[in-house]
mmCIF file of all heavy atoms in Angstrom:
data_model
loop_
_atom_site.group_PDB
_atom_site.id
_atom_site.type_symbol
_atom_site.label_atom_id
_atom_site.label_comp_id
_atom_site.label_asym_id
_atom_site.label_seq_id
_atom_site.Cartn_x
_atom_site.Cartn_y
_atom_site.Cartn_z
ATOM 1 N N THR A 176 -10.091 1.424 -2.360
ATOM 2 C CA THR A 176 -11.598 1.235 -2.358
ATOM 3 C C THR A 176 -11.915 -0.090 -1.733
ATOM 4 O O THR A 176 -12.811 -0.221 -0.962
ATOM 5 C CB THR A 176 -12.109 1.245 -3.852
ATOM 6 O OG1 THR A 176 -11.754 2.601 -4.364
ATOM 7 C CG2 THR A 176 -13.531 1.032 -3.982
ATOM 8 N N VAL A 177 -11.083 -1.182 -2.123
ATOM 9 C CA VAL A 177 -11.263 -2.486 -1.661
ATOM 10 C C VAL A 177 -11.086 -2.471 -0.055
ATOM 11 O O VAL A 177 -11.877 -3.027 0.757
ATOM 12 C CB VAL A 177 -10.465 -3.444 -2.286
ATOM 13 C CG1 VAL A 177 -10.449 -4.871 -1.524
ATOM 14 C CG2 VAL A 177 -10.813 -3.639 -3.659
ATOM 15 N N ALA A 178 -10.074 -1.752 0.402
ATOM 16 C CA ALA A 178 -9.800 -1.651 1.892
ATOM 17 C C ALA A 178 -10.959 -1.007 2.541
ATOM 18 O O ALA A 178 -11.342 -1.416 3.552
ATOM 19 C CB ALA A 178 -8.537 -0.844 2.081
ATOM 20 N N ALA A 179 -11.671 0.118 1.958
ATOM 21 C CA ALA A 179 -12.682 0.670 2.597
ATOM 22 C C ALA A 179 -13.870 -0.340 2.535
ATOM 23 O O ALA A 179 -14.707 -0.221 3.586
ATOM 24 C CB ALA A 179 -13.125 1.985 1.801
ATOM 25 N N MET A 180 -14.179 -1.024 1.571
ATOM 26 C CA MET A 180 -15.235 -2.036 1.548
ATOM 27 C C MET A 180 -15.001 -3.088 2.659
ATOM 28 O O MET A 180 -16.010 -3.468 3.269
ATOM 29 C CB MET A 180 -15.248 -2.730 0.152
ATOM 30 C CG MET A 180 -15.779 -1.740 -0.862
ATOM 31 S SD MET A 180 -15.706 -2.551 -2.609
ATOM 32 C CE MET A 180 -16.527 -1.393 -3.539
ATOM 33 N N LEU A 181 -13.780 -3.480 2.841
ATOM 34 C CA LEU A 181 -13.502 -4.481 3.953
ATOM 35 C C LEU A 181 -13.750 -3.873 5.281
ATOM 36 O O LEU A 181 -14.426 -4.560 6.087
ATOM 37 C CB LEU A 181 -12.048 -4.878 3.761
ATOM 38 C CG LEU A 181 -11.678 -5.910 2.706
ATOM 39 C CD1 LEU A 181 -10.294 -6.137 2.446
ATOM 40 C CD2 LEU A 181 -12.273 -7.206 2.938
ATOM 41 N N ALA A 182 -13.385 -2.630 5.431
ATOM 42 C CA ALA A 182 -13.707 -1.939 6.725
ATOM 43 C C ALA A 182 -15.278 -1.932 6.971
ATOM 44 O O ALA A 182 -15.721 -2.054 8.075
ATOM 45 C CB ALA A 182 -13.006 -0.527 6.810
ATOM 46 N N ALA A 183 -15.945 -1.630 5.928
ATOM 47 C CA ALA A 183 -17.451 -1.545 6.015
ATOM 48 C C ALA A 183 -18.006 -2.909 6.416
ATOM 49 O O ALA A 183 -19.066 -2.912 6.969
ATOM 50 C CB ALA A 183 -17.977 -1.061 4.778
ATOM 51 N N LEU A 184 -17.395 -4.027 5.988
ATOM 52 C CA LEU A 184 -17.804 -5.326 6.324
ATOM 53 C C LEU A 184 -17.305 -5.714 7.713
ATOM 54 O O LEU A 184 -17.643 -6.849 8.154
ATOM 55 C CB LEU A 184 -17.239 -6.377 5.361
ATOM 56 C CG LEU A 184 -17.840 -6.400 3.957
ATOM 57 C CD1 LEU A 184 -16.874 -7.168 2.941
ATOM 58 C CD2 LEU A 184 -19.258 -6.896 3.930
ATOM 59 N N GLY A 185 -16.710 -4.869 8.385
ATOM 60 C CA GLY A 185 -16.342 -5.059 9.871
ATOM 61 C C GLY A 185 -14.780 -5.483 9.968
ATOM 62 O O GLY A 185 -14.426 -5.855 11.123
ATOM 63 N N ALA A 186 -14.099 -5.509 8.810
ATOM 64 C CA ALA A 186 -12.652 -6.062 8.986
ATOM 65 C C ALA A 186 -11.854 -4.949 9.709
ATOM 66 O O ALA A 186 -12.126 -3.780 9.587
ATOM 67 C CB ALA A 186 -12.142 -6.302 7.625
ATOM 68 N N THR A 187 -10.859 -5.432 10.551
ATOM 69 C CA THR A 187 -9.830 -4.463 11.151
ATOM 70 C C THR A 187 -8.936 -4.298 9.951
ATOM 71 O O THR A 187 -8.127 -5.256 9.464
ATOM 72 C CB THR A 187 -9.217 -5.130 12.307
ATOM 73 O OG1 THR A 187 -10.281 -5.358 13.250
ATOM 74 C CG2 THR A 187 -8.082 -4.191 12.860
ATOM 75 N N VAL A 188 -8.667 -3.038 9.488
ATOM 76 C CA VAL A 188 -7.780 -2.674 8.432
ATOM 77 C C VAL A 188 -6.682 -1.845 8.957
ATOM 78 O O VAL A 188 -7.009 -0.866 9.595
ATOM 79 C CB VAL A 188 -8.497 -2.006 7.187
ATOM 80 C CG1 VAL A 188 -7.512 -1.756 6.038
ATOM 81 C CG2 VAL A 188 -9.717 -2.890 6.718
ATOM 82 N N VAL A 189 -5.400 -2.314 8.743
ATOM 83 C CA VAL A 189 -4.302 -1.484 9.070
ATOM 84 C C VAL A 189 -3.581 -0.907 7.768
ATOM 85 O O VAL A 189 -3.292 -1.756 6.958
ATOM 86 C CB VAL A 189 -3.247 -2.342 9.821
ATOM 87 C CG1 VAL A 189 -2.105 -1.522 10.122
ATOM 88 C CG2 VAL A 189 -3.783 -2.903 11.122
ATOM 89 N N ASP A 190 -3.620 0.362 7.646
ATOM 90 C CA ASP A 190 -3.140 1.047 6.409
ATOM 91 C C ASP A 190 -1.679 1.502 6.570
ATOM 92 O O ASP A 190 -1.411 2.485 7.279
ATOM 93 C CB ASP A 190 -4.028 2.309 6.257
ATOM 94 C CG ASP A 190 -3.726 2.961 4.869
ATOM 95 O OD1 ASP A 190 -2.541 2.770 4.319
ATOM 96 O OD2 ASP A 190 -4.631 3.818 4.433
ATOM 97 N N ALA A 191 -0.859 0.773 5.942
ATOM 98 C CA ALA A 191 0.681 1.044 6.034
ATOM 99 C C ALA A 191 1.028 2.485 5.567
ATOM 100 O O ALA A 191 1.873 3.081 6.116
ATOM 101 C CB ALA A 191 1.467 0.090 5.294
ATOM 102 N N ASP A 192 0.302 2.877 4.498
ATOM 103 C CA ASP A 192 0.539 4.271 4.000
ATOM 104 C C ASP A 192 0.190 5.285 5.004
ATOM 105 O O ASP A 192 0.914 6.395 5.093
ATOM 106 C CB ASP A 192 -0.274 4.498 2.624
ATOM 107 C CG ASP A 192 0.610 4.245 1.457
ATOM 108 O OD1 ASP A 192 1.850 4.008 1.537
ATOM 109 O OD2 ASP A 192 0.095 4.318 0.354
ATOM 110 N N ALA A 193 -0.985 5.154 5.720
ATOM 111 C CA ALA A 193 -1.381 6.078 6.626
ATOM 112 C C ALA A 193 -0.405 6.184 7.823
ATOM 113 O O ALA A 193 0.023 7.293 8.382
ATOM 114 C CB ALA A 193 -2.781 5.711 7.245
ATOM 115 N N ILE A 194 0.089 4.961 8.167
ATOM 116 C CA ILE A 194 1.184 5.000 9.348
ATOM 117 C C ILE A 194 2.480 5.727 8.924
ATOM 118 O O ILE A 194 3.068 6.396 9.632
ATOM 119 C CB ILE A 194 1.447 3.499 9.634
ATOM 120 C CG1 ILE A 194 0.246 2.726 10.261
ATOM 121 C CG2 ILE A 194 2.728 3.377 10.644
ATOM 122 C CD1 ILE A 194 0.243 1.419 10.509
ATOM 123 N N SER A 195 2.752 5.391 7.609
ATOM 124 C CA SER A 195 3.974 6.009 6.991
ATOM 125 C C SER A 195 3.924 7.562 7.022
ATOM 126 O O SER A 195 4.665 8.290 7.393
ATOM 127 C CB SER A 195 4.308 5.511 5.586
ATOM 128 O OG SER A 195 5.339 6.232 4.949
ATOM 129 N N ARG A 196 2.592 8.061 6.580
ATOM 130 C CA ARG A 196 2.431 9.540 6.543
ATOM 131 C C ARG A 196 2.464 10.119 7.914
ATOM 132 O O ARG A 196 2.906 11.310 8.007
ATOM 133 C CB ARG A 196 1.080 9.706 5.774
ATOM 134 C CG ARG A 196 0.921 9.636 4.360
ATOM 135 C CD ARG A 196 -0.285 10.122 3.690
ATOM 136 N NE ARG A 196 -1.476 9.466 4.151
ATOM 137 C CZ ARG A 196 -2.009 8.382 3.639
ATOM 138 N NH1 ARG A 196 -1.466 7.862 2.603
ATOM 139 N NH2 ARG A 196 -3.056 7.963 4.143
ATOM 140 N N ALA A 197 1.900 9.385 8.830
ATOM 141 C CA ALA A 197 1.926 9.896 10.211
ATOM 142 C C ALA A 197 3.383 9.973 10.684
ATOM 143 O O ALA A 197 3.712 10.934 11.413
ATOM 144 C CB ALA A 197 1.145 9.025 11.191
ATOM 145 N N SER A 198 4.200 9.048 10.300
ATOM 146 C CA SER A 198 5.675 9.171 10.818
ATOM 147 C C SER A 198 6.321 10.328 10.232
ATOM 148 O O SER A 198 7.368 10.853 10.698
ATOM 149 C CB SER A 198 6.407 7.828 10.498
ATOM 150 O OG SER A 198 6.679 7.715 9.167
ATOM 151 N N THR A 199 5.935 10.877 9.099
ATOM 152 C CA THR A 199 6.629 11.899 8.384
ATOM 153 C C THR A 199 5.868 13.247 8.475
ATOM 154 O O THR A 199 6.233 14.130 7.790
ATOM 155 C CB THR A 199 6.809 11.511 6.908
ATOM 156 O OG1 THR A 199 5.636 11.349 6.254
ATOM 157 C CG2 THR A 199 7.766 10.295 6.702
ATOM 158 N N ALA A 200 4.714 13.197 9.202
ATOM 159 C CA ALA A 200 4.121 14.383 9.511
ATOM 160 C C ALA A 200 4.827 15.182 10.613
ATOM 161 O O ALA A 200 5.802 14.641 11.277
ATOM 162 C CB ALA A 200 2.637 14.260 10.069
ATOM 163 N N ALA A 201 4.408 16.492 10.831
ATOM 164 C CA ALA A 201 5.083 17.297 11.861
ATOM 165 C C ALA A 201 5.105 16.532 13.236
ATOM 166 O O ALA A 201 3.970 16.048 13.625
ATOM 167 C CB ALA A 201 4.476 18.654 11.977
ATOM 168 N N GLY A 202 6.188 16.282 13.833
ATOM 169 C CA GLY A 202 6.219 15.655 15.130
ATOM 170 C C GLY A 202 6.296 14.180 15.051
ATOM 171 O O GLY A 202 6.448 13.357 15.998
ATOM 172 N N GLY A 203 6.372 13.594 13.829
ATOM 173 C CA GLY A 203 6.364 12.269 13.480
ATOM 174 C C GLY A 203 7.744 11.658 13.944
ATOM 175 O O GLY A 203 8.768 12.372 13.826
ATOM 176 N N ALA A 204 7.788 10.364 14.055
ATOM 177 C CA ALA A 204 9.043 9.760 14.544
ATOM 178 C C ALA A 204 10.135 9.753 13.541
ATOM 179 O O ALA A 204 11.258 9.577 13.837
ATOM 180 C CB ALA A 204 8.676 8.168 14.961
ATOM 181 N N ALA A 205 9.810 9.823 12.222
ATOM 182 C CA ALA A 205 10.734 9.721 11.126
ATOM 183 C C ALA A 205 11.407 11.269 10.908
ATOM 184 O O ALA A 205 12.433 11.198 10.143
ATOM 185 C CB ALA A 205 10.160 9.321 9.883
ATOM 186 N N ILE A 206 10.921 12.260 11.466
ATOM 187 C CA ILE A 206 11.310 13.667 10.979
ATOM 188 C C ILE A 206 12.729 13.816 11.375
ATOM 189 O O ILE A 206 13.546 14.300 10.524
ATOM 190 C CB ILE A 206 10.409 14.757 11.564
ATOM 191 C CG1 ILE A 206 8.882 14.463 10.997
ATOM 192 C CG2 ILE A 206 11.077 16.183 11.293
ATOM 193 C CD1 ILE A 206 8.943 14.826 9.467
ATOM 194 N N GLU A 207 13.171 13.635 12.626
ATOM 195 C CA GLU A 207 14.474 14.018 12.957
ATOM 196 C C GLU A 207 15.521 13.115 12.237
ATOM 197 O O GLU A 207 16.622 13.557 11.718
ATOM 198 C CB GLU A 207 14.747 13.908 14.458
ATOM 199 C CG GLU A 207 14.104 15.110 15.125
ATOM 200 C CD GLU A 207 14.524 16.485 14.408
ATOM 201 O OE1 GLU A 207 15.744 16.726 14.248
ATOM 202 O OE2 GLU A 207 13.720 17.340 14.253
ATOM 203 N N PRO A 208 15.383 11.688 12.120
ATOM 204 C CA PRO A 208 16.170 10.897 11.238
ATOM 205 C C PRO A 208 16.364 11.382 9.875
ATOM 206 O O PRO A 208 17.397 11.333 9.180
ATOM 207 C CB PRO A 208 15.649 9.498 11.406
ATOM 208 C CG PRO A 208 14.955 9.599 12.670
ATOM 209 C CD PRO A 208 14.361 10.933 12.842
ATOM 210 N N ILE A 209 15.188 11.789 9.188
ATOM 211 C CA ILE A 209 15.244 12.308 7.972
ATOM 212 C C ILE A 209 15.955 13.607 7.758
ATOM 213 O O ILE A 209 16.830 13.812 6.801
ATOM 214 C CB ILE A 209 13.818 12.531 7.308
ATOM 215 C CG1 ILE A 209 13.073 11.199 7.120
ATOM 216 C CG2 ILE A 209 13.791 13.382 6.060
ATOM 217 C CD1 ILE A 209 11.626 11.335 6.818
ATOM 218 N N ARG A 210 15.780 14.548 8.771
ATOM 219 C CA ARG A 210 16.574 15.771 8.775
ATOM 220 C C ARG A 210 18.097 15.468 8.852
ATOM 221 O O ARG A 210 18.888 16.082 8.116
ATOM 222 C CB ARG A 210 16.126 16.654 10.046
ATOM 223 C CG ARG A 210 16.651 17.999 9.999
ATOM 224 C CD ARG A 210 16.552 18.698 11.270
ATOM 225 N NE ARG A 210 15.127 18.741 11.770
ATOM 226 C CZ ARG A 210 14.248 19.576 11.451
ATOM 227 N NH1 ARG A 210 14.536 20.622 10.496
ATOM 228 N NH2 ARG A 210 12.977 19.518 11.907
ATOM 229 N N GLN A 211 18.450 14.537 9.668
ATOM 230 C CA GLN A 211 19.872 14.119 9.760
ATOM 231 C C GLN A 211 20.433 13.557 8.502
ATOM 232 O O GLN A 211 21.618 13.761 8.215
ATOM 233 C CB GLN A 211 20.110 13.174 10.984
ATOM 234 C CG GLN A 211 19.749 13.839 12.358
ATOM 235 C CD GLN A 211 19.741 12.817 13.443
ATOM 236 O OE1 GLN A 211 20.230 11.695 13.359
ATOM 237 N NE2 GLN A 211 19.135 13.128 14.560
ATOM 238 N N ALA A 212 19.559 12.642 7.830
ATOM 239 C CA ALA A 212 20.018 11.986 6.709
ATOM 240 C C ALA A 212 20.141 12.915 5.429
ATOM 241 O O ALA A 212 20.934 12.782 4.579
ATOM 242 C CB ALA A 212 19.146 10.787 6.416
#
Side-chain angles (χ1 to χ4, degrees):
T176 299
V177 169
M180 289 176 175
L181 285 165
L184 288 168
T187 299
V188 179
V189 178
D190 184 342
D192 263 356
I194 296 170
S195 176
R196 286 192 298 272
S198 79
T199 58
I206 291 300
E207 285 312 309
I209 289 172
R210 190 193 305 275
Q211 292 168 21

